[in-house]
Amino acid sequence: MYNVLIVDDEPAIREGLTTIMDWGALGFRVADTAGSGREALAKLERVQIDLIIMDIRLPGMNGLDVIRKIQQEAAGIPFHFLILSGYADFEYARQAISIGADGYLLKPVDEEEMAEELQRIYRMLESREAADGRHDRYSDYLEDLLLNAYKGGEGEPGPVPPELQWPSYQVIMLDIRLPDTDRMGRMALAREQLSNMCRERSYGFVFTAGGHTGILLRRPLERPEQALELMREIRETLSSCAAAVYAAAGREVTSLGQLKASCDAAGFLLERRFLFRGDRVLLHSDWVALGQNALENSGDTFLETESGMPHRDLADRLYYALEMANEDTVAQILQDMEKMCLSHGDSEQSVKEGFARVMTLALDKYMAGRERSSSSLEPASLIAEVYGQRSLPELVEQVQLRLKQLTASLGEGSKEAVMKQIVNFIHTHYGENLKLELLAETFNYNSSYLGKLFKQHTGEPFNLYLDKVRIRNAKRLLAEGMKVHGVAQHVGYANTDYFHAKFKKYVGCSPSAYRSYNRKKGQTE
């Protein structure tokens, strides 16, 4: 028996409709009645209803508004509507059918006409229930097949149903993010809505595997535009119950016995969905693009592997690019980091941790000694934005945008301005491991060409100029009484013997002798 709700503001009509028909013989029973649209909505929350027979004109909220409200709040749950109207309300009845009503009857109601309408709707309900039953059976079959495969079994659990004998198969795995309230109920509704969508559009069948929801497609996705459209349809279908949805496709297979391979590939991609934009279903081509390193990922981040660049080197490159106000180099460094993440197949957490470490080191160094104003980019602010991004491409874009705020204020300048920046940089960072090759990379110059420009600007080769700056500062520190090995480290010479040789070459005496001479000189003065 299917449940009917009769809605009319006239008690006599509600009573007449309840008694005039042999409801049981038609496969229905009157579960309840309501005198207004709002009362009908309230009763729908307490009683399971299959068919609503409703007057088009109701106090406060007409039948059209009731239909729209039900469709809005109960998306995915099937309701059938039969509208009652007078001759003057024919336009309302036509609108009702255009938004989902199954038919209309003119008042006063003719018993034979109403019986015919009820028989028609009964057949629709029966057909849908039969389709639901078939869908459930095939979903159970797929879940048994996968359970058997994950336990090490081979082949299919029994004969393949004719309805599942397709030329090829492809699995879509879904990550459905739910609000915190009524999670179990929302997940059940989400799977019901997906099942309805797949059945109505002949996409395939919905099943569950390992806590995830899957769709077995009868027509595999082949092009990005198909993946984009399917993602749009899925999100639109689940908009009433899911906060966010992500999806990934496994590889196309030719038998159900290979279904586990398609599931595993989809699951692998779904775990790494952060590496790609989430506006479409991820495809097998994305899986291929990750490369062998990603497939063999041991769990370390790209920053900690031999194939990746150490995070301190990346931070230094980024720091130098910021110091030189070079937007192009900043962009290139971030793109290099993005490629490393993709090639290594990092998880969302490891990507964000890696970027946060590089940004923190580079920005802390950049901000040291600078006056922090309201326009300055605080490291903590950028790190918070890193962890708030939904995908790696969006993360890179946002970081690049924020860092551009820094480089834009410094400007790009001419060759002469670049040389001045490099000279100033040497005078303030002579104690660091400065190399012409690193500066050339920062400014997108060939190192030989940059060396020629530097010599034209200063009159001396880069290494000679750097040595003189270092020795000049070393003389100052030795005169102040600092010990020789401390001076060597401070001015950028890791090896004390090498510092000793350089100092003697340029000054004519050893560092210790220079220090002793200045100490005696200070005592006599």
Side-chain angles (χ1 to χ4, degrees):
M1 290 286 180
Y2 294 105
N3 288 339
V4 176
L5 175 67
I6 296 175
V7 186
D8 198 294
D9 59 329
E10 297 184 35
I13 292 180
R14 295 200 301 271
E15 178 66 23
L17 288 175
T18 302
T19 57
I20 195 176
M21 304 298 298
D22 186 353
W23 293 100
L26 295 167
F28 293 92
R29 72 180 186 88
V30 177
D32 210 337
T33 63
S36 68
R38 299 192 184 283
E39 184 183 357
L41 292 173
K43 291 192 173 183
L44 286 178
E45 296 179 0
R46 300 191 298 268
V47 183
Q48 180 179 339
I49 298 297
D50 301 292
L51 170 63
I52 301 172
I53 300 176
M54 178 169 52
D55 188 2
I56 199 70
R57 286 188 179 274
L58 294 169
M61 189 179 197
N62 66 37
L64 296 177
D65 293 334
V66 174
I67 293 174
R68 292 191 183 100
K69 186 70 171 176
I70 291 173
Q71 291 174 336
Q72 176 184 347
E73 295 186 354
I77 299 177
F79 281 96
H80 289 267
F81 301 92
L82 191 56
I83 299 300
L84 305 179
S85 71
Y87 283 106
D89 300 324
F90 177 76
E91 179 57 26
Y92 280 124
R94 189 190 63 77
Q95 291 181 46
I97 291 176
S98 71
I99 63 172
D102 296 284
Y104 70 94
L105 293 169
L106 292 176
K107 291 183 177 180
V109 175
D110 180 86
E111 293 181 40
E112 290 185 6
E113 288 183 3
M114 187 166 190
E116 289 177 1
E117 286 295 308
L118 290 173
Q119 289 169 356
R120 183 173 62 85
I121 294 173
Y122 178 84
R123 287 193 295 270
M124 294 169 60
L125 288 165
E126 285 287 284
S127 177
R128 185 181 191 95
E129 191 168 280
D132 287 343
R134 287 195 301 272
H135 195 284
D136 290 342
R137 288 198 300 275
Y138 300 146
S139 296
D140 291 343
Y141 175 89
L142 294 172
E143 290 165 18
D144 289 344
L145 185 152
L146 285 170
L147 181 62
N148 178 61
Y150 281 109
K151 286 181 178 180
E154 297 182 357
E156 294 85 10
V160 178
E163 291 82 359
L164 289 178
Q165 294 177 7
W166 305 337
S168 63
Y169 309 86
Q170 185 181 45
V171 169
I172 305 292
M173 298 300 287
L174 302 175
D175 179 4
I176 303 174
R177 305 290 177 89
L178 302 170
D180 291 333
T181 58
D182 189 23
R183 296 176 64 84
M184 291 184 64
R186 288 178 181 271
M187 181 55 77
L189 177 58
R191 287 173 177 162
E192 181 180 353
Q193 290 174 335
L194 281 173
S195 296
N196 293 340
M197 180 196 80
C198 289
R199 181 177 56 250
E200 291 168 2
R201 301 176 190 180
S202 299
Y203 282 164
F205 299 98
V206 174
F207 62 94
T208 58
H212 279 99
T213 298
I215 301 174
L216 181 65
L217 291 182
R218 66 171 70 243
R219 290 182 293 275
L221 298 176
E222 298 176 347
R223 301 187 303 277
E225 53 268 29
Q226 291 176 312
L228 189 68
E229 177 61 20
L230 180 58
M231 189 78 257
R232 185 195 65 77
E233 291 180 350
I234 290 173
R235 285 181 171 161
E236 185 178 291
T237 297
L238 301 183
S239 60
S240 65
C241 58
V245 185
Y246 304 96
R251 66 183 180 88
E252 182 180 354
V253 296
T254 56
S255 75
L256 287 175
Q258 300 171 306
L259 202 59
K260 179 178 178 295
S262 189
C263 281
D264 288 346
F268 178 90
L269 259 183
L270 197 58
E271 290 175 359
R272 288 154 182 80
R273 59 95 186 160
F274 179 77
L275 299 175
F276 306 92
R277 294 189 185 277
D279 55 356
R280 62 173 173 82
V281 177
L282 298 179
L283 298 172
H284 184 62
S285 56
D286 298 312
W287 184 86
V288 174
L290 287 174
Q292 191 62 30
N293 287 339
L295 304 182
E296 298 173 355
N297 181 7
S298 62
D300 296 329
T301 73
F302 74 95
L303 297 172
E304 298 169 340
T305 63
E306 293 182 0
S307 61
M309 183 175 289
H311 63 279
R312 290 191 179 278
D313 289 351
L314 284 166
D316 285 343
R317 282 182 61 197
L318 184 59
Y319 163 59
Y320 294 146
L322 291 172
E323 281 284 2
M324 304 302 182
N326 193 309
E327 294 179 13
D328 291 339
T329 303
V330 169
Q332 185 59 54
I333 293 168
L334 295 176
Q335 289 171 15
D336 290 345
M337 292 173 67
E338 181 178 10
K339 290 177 182 176
M340 292 176 190
C341 292
L342 280 169
S343 66
H344 193 254
D346 282 338
S347 67
E348 176 178 349
Q349 186 63 24
S350 64
V351 168
K352 290 180 176 179
E353 287 177 357
F355 268 81
R357 287 164 63 188
V358 172
M359 297 300 117
T360 299
L361 287 170
L363 288 176
D364 281 349
K365 205 170 182 179
Y366 179 79
M367 301 298 289
R370 282 182 166 82
E371 182 178 353
R372 295 173 184 255
S373 65
S374 58
S375 61
S376 296
L377 178 62
E378 291 289 343
S381 171
L382 181 56
I383 300 311
E385 291 192 29
V386 165
Y387 279 96
Q389 299 307 308
R390 297 179 300 176
S391 72
L392 175 59
E394 291 171 316
L395 187 158
V396 170
E397 288 175 2
Q398 184 63 16
V399 170
Q400 184 175 337
L401 177 65
R402 295 299 306 277
L403 292 181
K404 187 176 181 180
Q405 297 172 0
L406 295 182
T407 58
S409 64
L410 298 177
E412 294 185 349
S414 63
K415 292 179 183 177
E416 185 69 17
V418 170
M419 291 304 108
K420 288 180 180 180
Q421 288 177 352
I422 291 177
V423 169
N424 290 335
F425 192 82
I426 290 173
H427 281 274
T428 55
H429 300 280
Y430 57 84
E432 298 178 15
N433 184 26
L434 297 183
K435 294 180 180 180
L436 181 63
E437 292 76 15
L438 181 60
L439 292 173
E441 185 179 354
T442 299
F443 282 94
N444 291 322
Y445 278 100
N446 175 276
S447 59
S448 297
Y449 180 60
L450 183 62
K452 291 178 181 179
L453 290 178
F454 187 89
K455 187 173 182 179
Q456 290 173 5
H457 180 78
T458 64
E460 295 176 323
F462 175 83
N463 288 331
L464 177 60
Y465 189 91
L466 177 60
D467 279 339
K468 287 185 175 181
V469 171
R470 286 172 167 173
I471 296 303
R472 185 163 55 248
N473 282 279
K475 289 169 66 177
R476 173 178 56 81
L477 295 171
L478 289 168
E480 293 173 357
M482 182 180 287
K483 293 182 179 180
V484 174
H485 71 275
V487 172
Q489 294 286 335
H490 188 83
V491 298
Y493 295 108
N495 186 295
T496 304
D497 291 338
Y498 185 68
F499 167 63
H500 186 280
K502 285 283 186 181
F503 192 90
K504 192 169 184 179
K505 174 182 176 180
Y506 291 109
V507 181
C509 64
S510 68
S512 56
Y514 186 87
R515 181 174 179 269
S516 298
Y517 170 78
N518 279 277
R519 288 181 67 185
K520 291 177 182 178
K521 182 180 177 181
Q523 291 172 358
T524 58
E525 293 176 353

PDB file of all heavy atoms in Angstrom, residues 343-359:
ATOM      1  N   SER A 343      55.513  15.075  -8.677  1.00  0.00           N
ATOM      2  CA  SER A 343      56.345  13.930  -9.045  1.00  0.00           C
ATOM      3  C   SER A 343      56.538  12.967  -7.895  1.00  0.00           C
ATOM      4  O   SER A 343      56.765  11.781  -8.090  1.00  0.00           O
ATOM      5  CB  SER A 343      57.706  14.412  -9.549  1.00  0.00           C
ATOM      6  OG  SER A 343      58.440  15.034  -8.502  1.00  0.00           O
ATOM      7  N   HIS A 344      56.409  13.483  -6.668  1.00  0.00           N
ATOM      8  CA  HIS A 344      56.575  12.601  -5.516  1.00  0.00           C
ATOM      9  C   HIS A 344      55.249  12.096  -4.974  1.00  0.00           C
ATOM     10  O   HIS A 344      55.205  11.207  -4.140  1.00  0.00           O
ATOM     11  CB  HIS A 344      57.347  13.337  -4.415  1.00  0.00           C
ATOM     12  CG  HIS A 344      57.837  12.455  -3.320  1.00  0.00           C
ATOM     13  ND1 HIS A 344      57.269  12.432  -2.066  1.00  0.00           N
ATOM     14  CD2 HIS A 344      58.800  11.514  -3.300  1.00  0.00           C
ATOM     15  CE1 HIS A 344      57.888  11.533  -1.315  1.00  0.00           C
ATOM     16  NE2 HIS A 344      58.820  10.972  -2.044  1.00  0.00           N
ATOM     17  N   GLY A 345      54.118  12.673  -5.450  1.00  0.00           N
ATOM     18  CA  GLY A 345      52.802  12.209  -5.007  1.00  0.00           C
ATOM     19  C   GLY A 345      52.530  12.468  -3.544  1.00  0.00           C
ATOM     20  O   GLY A 345      51.952  11.634  -2.840  1.00  0.00           O
ATOM     21  N   ASP A 346      52.912  13.645  -3.052  1.00  0.00           N
ATOM     22  CA  ASP A 346      52.760  13.941  -1.628  1.00  0.00           C
ATOM     23  C   ASP A 346      51.293  14.045  -1.207  1.00  0.00           C
ATOM     24  O   ASP A 346      50.426  14.415  -1.997  1.00  0.00           O
ATOM     25  CB  ASP A 346      53.446  15.267  -1.292  1.00  0.00           C
ATOM     26  CG  ASP A 346      54.950  15.119  -1.185  1.00  0.00           C
ATOM     27  OD1 ASP A 346      55.397  13.994  -0.951  1.00  0.00           O
ATOM     28  OD2 ASP A 346      55.658  16.116  -1.345  1.00  0.00           O
ATOM     29  N   SER A 347      51.057  13.756   0.058  1.00  0.00           N
ATOM     30  CA  SER A 347      49.722  13.931   0.633  1.00  0.00           C
ATOM     31  C   SER A 347      49.473  15.414   0.891  1.00  0.00           C
ATOM     32  O   SER A 347      50.402  16.235   0.879  1.00  0.00           O
ATOM     33  CB  SER A 347      49.613  13.173   1.958  1.00  0.00           C
ATOM     34  OG  SER A 347      50.475  13.762   2.937  1.00  0.00           O
ATOM     35  N   GLU A 348      48.219  15.765   1.132  1.00  0.00           N
ATOM     36  CA  GLU A 348      47.859  17.154   1.407  1.00  0.00           C
ATOM     37  C   GLU A 348      48.636  17.699   2.597  1.00  0.00           C
ATOM     38  O   GLU A 348      49.179  18.810   2.566  1.00  0.00           O
ATOM     39  CB  GLU A 348      46.355  17.270   1.657  1.00  0.00           C
ATOM     40  CG  GLU A 348      45.906  18.669   2.046  1.00  0.00           C
ATOM     41  CD  GLU A 348      44.405  18.766   2.245  1.00  0.00           C
ATOM     42  OE1 GLU A 348      43.685  17.801   1.885  1.00  0.00           O
ATOM     43  OE2 GLU A 348      43.936  19.796   2.751  1.00  0.00           O
ATOM     44  N   GLN A 349      48.699  16.902   3.672  1.00  0.00           N
ATOM     45  CA  GLN A 349      49.379  17.362   4.881  1.00  0.00           C
ATOM     46  C   GLN A 349      50.859  17.599   4.638  1.00  0.00           C
ATOM     47  O   GLN A 349      51.419  18.621   5.063  1.00  0.00           O
ATOM     48  CB  GLN A 349      49.192  16.334   6.012  1.00  0.00           C
ATOM     49  CG  GLN A 349      49.740  16.773   7.368  1.00  0.00           C
ATOM     50  CD  GLN A 349      49.029  17.999   7.924  1.00  0.00           C
ATOM     51  OE1 GLN A 349      47.889  18.283   7.566  1.00  0.00           O
ATOM     52  NE2 GLN A 349      49.703  18.728   8.783  1.00  0.00           N
ATOM     53  N   SER A 350      51.518  16.672   3.926  1.00  0.00           N
ATOM     54  CA  SER A 350      52.954  16.824   3.710  1.00  0.00           C
ATOM     55  C   SER A 350      53.250  18.002   2.783  1.00  0.00           C
ATOM     56  O   SER A 350      54.258  18.684   2.956  1.00  0.00           O
ATOM     57  CB  SER A 350      53.553  15.536   3.150  1.00  0.00           C
ATOM     58  OG  SER A 350      53.026  15.239   1.877  1.00  0.00           O
ATOM     59  N   VAL A 351      52.382  18.248   1.792  1.00  0.00           N
ATOM     60  CA  VAL A 351      52.569  19.404   0.916  1.00  0.00           C
ATOM     61  C   VAL A 351      52.499  20.695   1.725  1.00  0.00           C
ATOM     62  O   VAL A 351      53.362  21.575   1.609  1.00  0.00           O
ATOM     63  CB  VAL A 351      51.509  19.428  -0.200  1.00  0.00           C
ATOM     64  CG1 VAL A 351      51.520  20.778  -0.922  1.00  0.00           C
ATOM     65  CG2 VAL A 351      51.768  18.309  -1.197  1.00  0.00           C
ATOM     66  N   LYS A 352      51.482  20.811   2.548  1.00  0.00           N
ATOM     67  CA  LYS A 352      51.305  22.038   3.320  1.00  0.00           C
ATOM     68  C   LYS A 352      52.428  22.218   4.332  1.00  0.00           C
ATOM     69  O   LYS A 352      52.913  23.341   4.548  1.00  0.00           O
ATOM     70  CB  LYS A 352      49.942  22.019   4.012  1.00  0.00           C
ATOM     71  CG  LYS A 352      48.787  22.168   3.033  1.00  0.00           C
ATOM     72  CD  LYS A 352      47.432  22.148   3.719  1.00  0.00           C
ATOM     73  CE  LYS A 352      46.310  22.401   2.705  1.00  0.00           C
ATOM     74  NZ  LYS A 352      44.966  22.352   3.338  1.00  0.00           N
ATOM     75  N   GLU A 353      52.853  21.125   4.944  1.00  0.00           N
ATOM     76  CA  GLU A 353      53.970  21.220   5.887  1.00  0.00           C
ATOM     77  C   GLU A 353      55.241  21.662   5.169  1.00  0.00           C
ATOM     78  O   GLU A 353      56.001  22.492   5.677  1.00  0.00           O
ATOM     79  CB  GLU A 353      54.193  19.877   6.576  1.00  0.00           C
ATOM     80  CG  GLU A 353      53.129  19.539   7.608  1.00  0.00           C
ATOM     81  CD  GLU A 353      53.327  18.162   8.222  1.00  0.00           C
ATOM     82  OE1 GLU A 353      54.267  17.458   7.783  1.00  0.00           O
ATOM     83  OE2 GLU A 353      52.564  17.808   9.131  1.00  0.00           O
ATOM     84  N   GLY A 354      55.497  21.087   3.974  1.00  0.00           N
ATOM     85  CA  GLY A 354      56.681  21.451   3.214  1.00  0.00           C
ATOM     86  C   GLY A 354      56.680  22.917   2.816  1.00  0.00           C
ATOM     87  O   GLY A 354      57.669  23.630   2.994  1.00  0.00           O
ATOM     88  N   PHE A 355      55.557  23.399   2.278  1.00  0.00           N
ATOM     89  CA  PHE A 355      55.465  24.803   1.898  1.00  0.00           C
ATOM     90  C   PHE A 355      55.594  25.704   3.118  1.00  0.00           C
ATOM     91  O   PHE A 355      56.238  26.762   3.053  1.00  0.00           O
ATOM     92  CB  PHE A 355      54.141  25.071   1.178  1.00  0.00           C
ATOM     93  CG  PHE A 355      54.229  24.941  -0.311  1.00  0.00           C
ATOM     94  CD1 PHE A 355      54.169  23.693  -0.920  1.00  0.00           C
ATOM     95  CD2 PHE A 355      54.379  26.056  -1.113  1.00  0.00           C
ATOM     96  CE1 PHE A 355      54.254  23.562  -2.295  1.00  0.00           C
ATOM     97  CE2 PHE A 355      54.461  25.943  -2.495  1.00  0.00           C
ATOM     98  CZ  PHE A 355      54.401  24.687  -3.088  1.00  0.00           C
ATOM     99  N   ALA A 356      54.978  25.304   4.223  1.00  0.00           N
ATOM    100  CA  ALA A 356      55.039  26.123   5.436  1.00  0.00           C
ATOM    101  C   ALA A 356      56.477  26.262   5.928  1.00  0.00           C
ATOM    102  O   ALA A 356      56.901  27.344   6.347  1.00  0.00           O
ATOM    103  CB  ALA A 356      54.154  25.509   6.526  1.00  0.00           C
ATOM    104  N   ARG A 357      57.244  25.182   5.855  1.00  0.00           N
ATOM    105  CA  ARG A 357      58.640  25.224   6.311  1.00  0.00           C
ATOM    106  C   ARG A 357      59.473  26.159   5.438  1.00  0.00           C
ATOM    107  O   ARG A 357      60.253  26.972   5.936  1.00  0.00           O
ATOM    108  CB  ARG A 357      59.229  23.813   6.287  1.00  0.00           C
ATOM    109  CG  ARG A 357      58.700  22.926   7.407  1.00  0.00           C
ATOM    110  CD  ARG A 357      58.985  21.461   7.136  1.00  0.00           C
ATOM    111  NE  ARG A 357      60.412  21.184   7.077  1.00  0.00           N
ATOM    112  CZ  ARG A 357      60.914  20.013   6.704  1.00  0.00           C
ATOM    113  NH1 ARG A 357      60.109  19.029   6.351  1.00  0.00           N
ATOM    114  NH2 ARG A 357      62.205  19.825   6.688  1.00  0.00           N
ATOM    115  N   VAL A 358      59.305  26.041   4.120  1.00  0.00           N
ATOM    116  CA  VAL A 358      60.061  26.895   3.208  1.00  0.00           C
ATOM    117  C   VAL A 358      59.670  28.364   3.387  1.00  0.00           C
ATOM    118  O   VAL A 358      60.530  29.252   3.470  1.00  0.00           O
ATOM    119  CB  VAL A 358      59.849  26.449   1.750  1.00  0.00           C
ATOM    120  CG1 VAL A 358      60.465  27.460   0.776  1.00  0.00           C
ATOM    121  CG2 VAL A 358      60.455  25.074   1.513  1.00  0.00           C
ATOM    122  N   MET A 359      58.352  28.638   3.469  1.00  0.00           N
ATOM    123  CA  MET A 359      57.890  30.012   3.631  1.00  0.00           C
ATOM    124  C   MET A 359      58.380  30.616   4.950  1.00  0.00           C
ATOM    125  O   MET A 359      58.795  31.774   5.006  1.00  0.00           O
ATOM    126  CB  MET A 359      56.354  30.062   3.604  1.00  0.00           C
ATOM    127  CG  MET A 359      55.708  29.622   2.310  1.00  0.00           C
ATOM    128  SD  MET A 359      56.205  30.616   0.905  1.00  0.00           S
ATOM    129  CE  MET A 359      57.018  29.356  -0.064  1.00  0.00           C
TER     130      MET A 359
END
